[in-house]
Amino acid sequence: MDIQEQIEKYITSQSEPKRSDMRELHRIILQIMPACKLWFLDGKNSENKTVSNPNIGYGLHTIKYADGKTREFYQIGLSANQTGISIYILGIGDKTYLAQTYGKNLGKASVTGYCIKFKKLKDINIDILETAIRYGIGVTNEN
């Protein structure tokens, strides 16, 4: 099964309204990043144990670790969680930036250093979410 098929299977496996919301977010992110590399992480570690929720990833950036090692990973992530949906915007150095810049105008969402979590798409301002995603892409492309 290729990545596109894994992504479609993952989105389809969600119950409504999460399924429709994730399909719409997938469309929006692909519209913002039309030629991006797609990722699908099933949430399992090398021992096949579930360690996180599955993630759809978009784009490519290099994570630099303190020990000097690097790893390629996605820039933007999309994941269903127990209560809703998470959008991950990776590579932003200032861990307060997302919450301070977008938190107040985003709607009913919790915002951490790299994650925007919300229950339903209708609860948030999609334009603000798109702006945050575009910002994250710009920052990680500069590194």
Side-chain angles (χ1 to χ4, degrees):
M1 187 173 350
D2 73 11
I3 289 176
Q4 299 261 18
E5 291 169 329
Q6 289 176 303
I7 291 170
E8 181 57 30
K9 183 178 177 187
Y10 175 56
I11 291 172
T12 303
S13 74
Q14 304 302 314
S15 59
E16 287 295 352
K18 199 180 294 184
R19 179 185 320 132
S20 295
D21 286 352
M22 288 188 68
R23 196 171 306 286
E24 177 64 6
L25 286 163
H26 181 63
R27 185 194 67 74
I28 289 168
I29 296 168
L30 288 176
Q31 192 173 10
I32 295 169
M33 307 171 72
C36 71
K37 175 178 178 166
L38 286 174
W39 303 67
F40 183 75
L41 306 176
D42 64 7
K44 297 185 188 314
N45 66 11
S46 56
E47 287 91 47
N48 208 30
K49 288 188 179 147
T50 299
V51 293
S52 70
N53 292 323
N55 277 265
I56 303 168
Y58 307 85
L60 178 66
H61 87 107
T62 303
I63 297 172
K64 296 173 187 121
Y65 294 99
D67 65 3
K69 292 183 181 169
T70 61
R71 174 180 168 205
E72 289 192 335
F73 207 61
Y74 57 75
Q75 294 170 290
I76 307 297
L78 170 62
S79 179
N81 59 54
Q82 214 158 8
T83 60
I85 297 171
S86 297
I87 298 284
Y88 304 101
I89 303 176
L90 305 178
I92 298 173
D94 180 351
K95 297 302 173 208
T96 64
Y97 184 83
L98 280 180
Q100 287 179 347
T101 307
Y102 305 108
K104 289 188 286 292
N105 300 318
L106 203 49
K108 288 165 60 176
S110 70
V111 184
T112 63
Y114 62 91
C115 180
I116 298 171
K117 195 183 296 187
F118 50 92
K119 194 168 177 118
K120 294 181 181 127
L121 202 50
K122 70 179 176 82
D123 292 341
I124 63 163
N125 183 324
I126 296 171
D127 292 337
I128 300 294
L129 179 64
E130 279 189 48
T131 302
I133 291 169
R134 288 180 194 278
Y135 173 80
I137 295 164
V139 167
T140 54
N141 283 340
E142 290 170 8
N143 294 339

